[in-house]
Amino acid sequence: MSLPRIASIVFTIICLPLVAIAQQTLPEVNIGVVFDGPGELNSEILETIKRESEALLEGEFQIRFPATMNLTADWTPAAIDDSINKLLVDDQADFILTLGAISTSLVCQRTDLTKPVIAPFAIDIDFQGLPFDGPGSGVRNLNYLVSLPNFRRGLETLNRLHRSRVVGVLAHQVYFDALKLGESNKAICTDGLECRVIHFSVGNNAAAAMKSLPAEAEAIYVLPLVFSWSPQEIRALADSLIARELPSFSYIGRDEVELGILAGIGLEADWTRLARRIAINIQRILLGEQASDLPVDFSSQSQLVINMETARRINVYPNWEVMTEAELINDRSSEAARHVTLRGAVDAALAANRDLLAGERGVEAGSRGVQIARSNLLPQAKLAATLRWIDEDRAGGITGVPEGELLGSADFSQIIFSDAAWAGLSIEKKLQLQREYEYAALRLDIIQETAIAFIDVMRALTVEEIQKNNLRVSKENLELARLRERVGESGPGEVYRWESQIASNRQDVVQANAGRNLAEMQLNRYLNRPSEESFRIVGEEEAQSGLLISDPRLTGYTNDRWSFATFRDFMAEIAARQSPELMQFDALISAQQRARSAAQRSVYLPTLAAFASLDYAISDYGKGADGASPLASLLPPGVSLEMPNELDWAVGVTASLPLFEGGKRYARIAQTKLELQQLTHEQEAVRERIEQNIRGTLHLFGAAHAAVGFSQAAAEAAARNLELVTDAYSNGRADLLDLLDAQNAELIADLLAANARYDYLIRYMQVQRAVGRFDFYQSDDEKNSFFQEMQEFFEAARSEQ
């Protein structure tokens, strides 16, 4: 038999079974859906469930969601029951999903389900009186999921905000009838305080609701109204409750709190995770497990939201414990606070920072020193008036000096040549240049320190949010632990452990809040603002806008080892060229060189100056004022003695050259020479430090850039791991320590990821300071010139290889 023939037979033997398997038809599963009523989220939720179910069951079953089996009721129990009945009797429907709180509650009241039903929107097992035989429903073909905010937890949170003995629960009658949230006037104990819950129904407006409000109610729990009430009516209700000074709590959360309700626990909807859980339960049922045995718990993230404007109007303020976990809206301090961007913070610091203002005045004072040095080379003129009295016995006499005399004088001088004076001016100019470079260095320092302080505030805000989120996770896990205790999967020890964990998490939140306050105070100091003046900052994207690290052109110069090394060479050259510290030494060395030459020239160069003086006797008084000399009578006839008149003047030129000053000039020459050598060595040392600094900072910057990606990947993996472990814990497949480890791992990973992001930004600020310029103040043309110069540097480096 030939080789091709053998190969053909082998191919047939191997491939025919695979073809037969591929041609097998997968079992079809038709899933019917019931919505409580029309809603914007209906299509989003259904599409997510479709996507997750098809992805999970691909290769096992053909999952279909026929449009004819997607039934939308009208928010009434009768219509919802009718939709459920239609699917129960539809032979083509294999599964039923009730995607609404009312349909979930209604279907959970049935005990004769003829096909599997998954009802994922339950609220509270106890208050709704849902069937439960832990960990599942215990009802044939029924699996529900407690995924909505817990009703009792809302009552407890309201009680923490305001301790009330009577709580009025406000909702449409349909919610009381369909959701079965306990009996009216039911007494419960929340946080050690027993209170009564009074249900009262409302119509479609706030006025009717306020008329039916029980007089004894001390607080109001508002169940969902947004499905039928307009925002204006909800706001009117909130205003009426505020007028009565009644604390209110919204089951919906943020939407109604923003309209004036005091507080609420907003659900952070994670439809993907919920859809994945639904898909897993469908798969487990299809593979033979009983729907009644599947766990009913499902943890979801939620956030307490408080309207601080409402709190102020009714004189109810949350305590520190509540503040650690709440998001505050309409907070007066936040509303009144100025908004600060990274560039805005830097500009404000440059305009108002005390250290910089002091440096600016020093530069201005130095400019006056230059003027003083120049004045020595300009004409000097002086006027003087002298009033003089002498003893009477000395007046007159031979000299004819008067007893009293008023004299006026004027003096003028002009240096013709003085190397010392010209050197003084030149040296002072160089010193002024050094002061300007010193100010430029201080300005760069202030920019760097302000930018880092701004980034530290962003870091502190993120850390605080991470700690708050960790606290929320612990509170959700506490609910899981209580459920596990209820079904007998664990003892009270797990509940106590999570309560201890929550207390520790609250302490972490308080510490994070204190860290944020300190970071904000530090930034305010740089901005010369009151230490505790509040402000709001923009996010990371705005902070990075305009920076070169956001320019994709930079990546090509740093994405490999050779390029990064060349990039460091280029940046070191830029730093050496424009470092204000090196420029300071250039100015000092130039000044010292001029001082040395002046000292050398002082040995042989004279100083030449012109002068003029004028003296005038304005008036005389007393004895001798006539100006007559007593010697006149002794002179021979025809001979007179003329006295000088009132005016005396002189002009001339002087030349001076010191011959011997005790060796001072030669000592000064030697001193200036040594000081010049000292400055030269110091400059070289600074040059070496600058190069080392820029290269070292760039290495740290590169490491920080890599750490951002690695830490973010680790944080995402930790989050996925926590999700899996949480599901396993709720299903009894993981213990307390597994969940604690997973939660701590996510917390650490999130903190590391946040620190990596902000360390990266700080490193870049340090790179810019080392180079001597910041991107904030570079125009687009200057940035383009930077890349052009870098490209030429790289091409030259390649040609030298």
Side-chain angles (χ1 to χ4, degrees):
M1 186 179 293
S2 65
L3 184 60
R5 178 65 174 167
I6 295 173
S8 176
I9 294 173
V10 171
F11 177 81
T12 302
I13 293 172
I14 294 175
C15 293
L16 278 179
L18 298 178
V19 173
I21 293 173
Q23 291 177 345
Q24 290 180 358
T25 302
L26 296 176
E28 292 186 4
V29 179
N30 294 320
I31 299 178
V33 177
V34 176
F35 291 105
D36 289 357
E40 296 180 0
L41 293 177
N42 288 357
S43 59
E44 178 186 347
I45 297 172
L46 183 56
E47 287 302 317
T48 306
I49 294 173
K50 285 182 181 180
R51 183 178 64 250
E52 293 297 324
S53 300
E54 291 169 356
L56 179 65
L57 300 173
E58 183 180 8
E60 294 182 289
F61 301 93
Q62 294 186 46
I63 301 299
R64 301 183 185 278
F65 293 82
T68 56
M69 297 183 187
N70 289 345
L71 307 181
T72 302
D74 61 0
W75 300 107
T76 64
I80 295 171
D81 267 329
D82 184 57
S83 297
I84 295 173
N85 290 332
K86 287 180 180 179
L87 293 178
L88 284 173
V89 300
D90 188 344
D91 294 336
Q92 300 299 314
D94 301 305
F95 267 83
I96 299 176
L97 289 180
T98 58
L99 300 183
I102 298 176
S103 56
T104 292
S105 181
L106 291 175
V107 81
C108 286
Q109 297 172 32
R110 297 174 178 245
T111 58
D112 57 348
L113 300 175
T114 56
K115 59 187 64 176
V117 176
I118 297 180
F121 291 116
I123 297 175
D124 190 300
I125 293 177
D126 294 331
F127 271 76
Q128 288 185 271
L130 300 178
F132 181 73
D133 186 10
S137 68
V139 175
R140 181 173 177 271
N141 283 329
L142 175 62
N143 170 241
Y144 63 86
L145 297 175
V146 183
S147 63
L148 295 179
N150 185 275
F151 182 77
R152 183 187 184 95
R153 181 182 170 192
L155 288 173
E156 292 174 345
T157 305
L158 174 58
N159 194 40
R160 288 165 60 198
L161 287 168
H162 183 270
R163 297 179 70 81
S164 307
R165 296 188 178 276
V166 180
V167 176
V169 179
L170 180 153
H172 289 291
Q173 189 61 44
V174 63
Y175 288 97
F176 297 133
D177 295 340
L179 299 184
K180 302 297 182 183
L181 289 176
E183 299 296 332
S184 294
N185 301 318
K186 180 174 182 179
I188 63 171
C189 184
T190 60
D191 196 23
L193 175 69
E194 185 177 285
C195 67
R196 288 189 300 118
V197 176
I198 302 176
H199 293 173
F200 65 102
S201 60
V202 298
N204 291 324
N205 58 72
M210 294 305 296
K211 286 182 180 179
S212 60
L213 183 69
E216 65 268 37
E218 300 174 3
I220 304 299
Y221 193 138
V222 182
L223 291 185
L225 298 173
V226 294
F227 297 116
S228 59
W229 278 31
S230 67
Q232 292 77 12
E233 286 298 330
I234 297 175
R235 187 180 297 277
L237 172 67
D239 289 340
S240 298
L241 293 175
I242 290 172
R244 293 272 297 270
E245 294 190 351
L246 283 174
S248 54
F249 192 89
S250 170
Y251 179 82
I252 288 293
R254 174 179 289 276
D255 291 340
E256 294 183 351
V257 173
E258 289 180 346
L259 293 172
I261 299 298
L262 174 61
I265 298 180
L267 179 66
E268 296 181 6
D270 187 352
W271 303 126
T272 300
R273 183 164 164 262
L274 179 61
R276 191 172 300 140
R277 175 69 174 273
I278 293 171
I280 291 173
N281 285 0
I282 291 174
Q283 181 189 48
R284 294 175 67 175
I285 293 171
L286 290 173
L287 294 178
E289 292 190 57
Q290 295 298 317
S292 59
D293 297 334
L294 299 181
V296 299
D297 60 285
F298 182 84
S299 62
S300 56
Q301 295 291 325
S302 58
Q303 172 65 56
L304 174 62
V305 184
I306 301 175
N307 189 323
M308 293 303 295
E309 175 62 25
T310 300
R312 286 189 293 270
R313 293 175 65 184
I314 65 175
N315 295 314
V316 172
Y317 294 96
N319 58 35
W320 288 111
E321 179 182 343
V322 174
M323 292 281 282
T324 59
E325 61 185 270
E327 176 186 352
L328 308 181
I329 62 175
N330 296 331
D331 187 7
R332 179 175 295 168
S333 59
S334 298
E335 288 181 344
R338 65 193 189 278
H339 287 229
V340 180
T341 63
L342 178 56
R343 171 65 185 271
V346 171
D347 288 343
L350 294 180
N353 183 268
R354 293 292 188 187
D355 295 332
L356 203 58
L357 290 174
E360 185 178 345
R361 296 300 176 269
V363 173
E364 292 178 359
S367 67
R368 302 300 184 268
V370 175
Q371 294 177 359
I372 292 172
R374 181 181 290 109
S375 68
N376 294 327
L377 296 168
L378 298 178
Q380 310 289 312
K382 180 176 70 173
L383 293 175
T386 304
L387 180 62
R388 183 176 60 183
W389 293 88
I390 62 175
D391 293 342
E392 181 179 358
D393 59 350
R394 295 178 183 275
I398 296 176
T399 61
V401 176
E403 182 180 358
E405 187 177 26
L406 176 63
L407 302 175
S409 63
D411 292 289
F412 172 85
S413 65
Q414 170 65 59
I415 290 178
I416 300 174
F417 174 79
S418 173
D419 188 65
W422 282 104
L425 175 60
S426 177
I427 291 171
E428 196 60 43
K429 285 182 177 180
K430 300 298 183 182
L431 292 178
Q432 175 62 8
L433 195 60
Q434 182 269 332
R435 284 189 285 267
E436 291 174 357
Y437 288 136
E438 183 179 25
Y439 174 78
L442 175 62
R443 185 175 184 273
L444 291 174
D445 289 338
I446 295 299
I447 293 174
Q448 175 188 247
E449 292 168 4
T450 304
I452 291 176
F454 182 93
I455 295 168
D456 282 339
V457 173
M458 288 200 301
R459 184 205 304 268
L461 285 168
T462 302
V463 169
E464 184 178 19
E465 184 58 36
I466 289 173
Q467 294 292 1
K468 283 186 176 181
N469 181 69
N470 187 56
L471 173 59
R472 290 196 296 269
V473 172
S474 293
K475 292 171 74 70
E476 296 295 339
N477 289 337
L478 173 61
E479 295 297 326
L480 287 178
R482 287 171 174 167
L483 179 61
R484 284 165 57 91
E485 181 187 16
R486 186 185 303 124
V487 301
E489 292 185 358
S490 66
E494 287 194 10
V495 174
Y496 298 148
R497 179 63 182 85
W498 282 114
E499 289 175 346
S500 173
Q501 182 70 23
I502 287 172
S504 177
N505 293 157
R506 285 199 173 106
Q507 182 179 0
D508 293 337
V509 172
V510 171
Q511 290 294 330
N513 177 264
R516 174 176 62 81
N517 291 332
L518 292 177
E520 290 175 346
M521 291 171 62
Q522 177 74 351
L523 181 57
N524 273 333
R525 187 183 76 81
Y526 285 114
L527 304 185
N528 192 21
R529 307 289 297 189
S531 293
E532 297 199 39
E533 182 178 272
S534 60
F535 57 87
R536 304 179 73 178
I537 65 172
V538 298
E540 293 181 45
E541 291 185 4
E542 289 84 354
Q544 295 189 48
S545 62
L547 301 182
L548 288 180
I549 52 174
S550 301
D551 196 316
R553 291 178 291 179
L554 188 64
T555 305
Y557 297 100
T558 59
N559 60 357
D560 62 76
R561 190 170 185 175
W562 181 87
S563 297
F564 191 45
T566 308
F567 179 73
R568 294 195 300 274
D569 293 339
F570 173 71
M571 296 297 280
E573 181 179 294
I574 295 290
R577 191 168 67 224
Q578 59 189 28
S579 167
E581 286 82 4
L582 288 177
M583 293 179 183
Q584 287 184 63
F585 275 98
D586 288 339
L588 288 173
I589 289 173
S590 180
Q592 192 64 27
Q593 288 173 338
R594 187 66 183 89
R596 180 187 177 188
S597 65
Q600 292 172 332
R601 293 174 183 177
S602 68
V603 176
Y604 56 86
L605 287 180
T607 297
L608 300 177
F611 69 91
S613 64
L614 179 67
D615 296 294
Y616 182 75
I618 299 174
S619 61
D620 300 330
Y621 305 96
K623 184 179 179 181
D626 56 2
S629 173
L631 298 177
S633 60
L634 302 177
L635 295 176
V639 178
S640 63
L641 180 63
E642 294 184 4
M643 299 299 291
N645 61 16
E646 294 85 356
L647 181 65
D648 184 17
W649 60 269
V651 296
V653 176
T654 64
S656 63
L657 178 66
L659 297 179
F660 183 73
E661 295 179 310
K664 180 172 66 175
R665 284 178 294 171
Y666 294 99
R668 185 180 295 117
I669 293 173
Q671 181 186 38
T672 56
K673 179 180 179 180
L674 293 173
E675 289 175 344
L676 180 60
Q677 292 175 350
Q678 177 187 5
L679 288 172
T680 302
H681 289 309
E682 289 178 352
Q683 183 184 41
E684 290 306 312
V686 169
R687 190 185 308 276
E688 290 173 357
R689 286 197 294 269
I690 288 175
E691 180 175 358
Q692 180 185 7
N693 181 39
I694 183 63
R695 292 182 181 275
T697 303
L698 281 169
H699 276 294
L700 294 174
F701 169 72
H705 182 263
V708 171
F710 297 147
S711 61
Q712 185 60 39
E716 292 173 357
R720 290 193 296 269
N721 178 64
L722 176 60
E723 181 181 328
L724 294 174
V725 175
T726 301
D727 286 339
Y729 178 74
S730 62
N731 294 329
R733 298 194 304 271
D735 59 23
L736 171 67
L737 293 180
D738 293 331
L739 185 54
L740 275 173
D741 288 343
Q743 182 178 337
N744 288 333
E746 186 197 36
L747 172 63
I748 293 172
D750 286 344
L751 291 174
L752 289 175
N755 284 324
R757 291 199 309 274
Y758 298 117
D759 286 343
Y760 171 62
L761 286 175
I762 288 176
R763 293 301 183 193
Y764 186 63
M765 296 302 158
Q766 293 171 340
V767 167
Q768 292 184 95
R769 173 60 184 91
V771 172
R773 67 182 182 189
F774 282 85
D775 296 345
F776 315 122
Y777 302 104
Q778 299 292 307
S779 66
D780 291 339
D781 290 340
E782 289 173 324
K783 292 176 182 177
N784 291 332
S785 297
F786 170 81
F787 281 107
Q788 179 63 35
E789 184 180 359
M790 185 161 56
Q791 178 63 29
E792 294 172 357
F793 187 91
F794 269 66
E795 291 174 355
R798 290 191 183 94
S799 65
E800 293 176 0
Q801 286 184 327

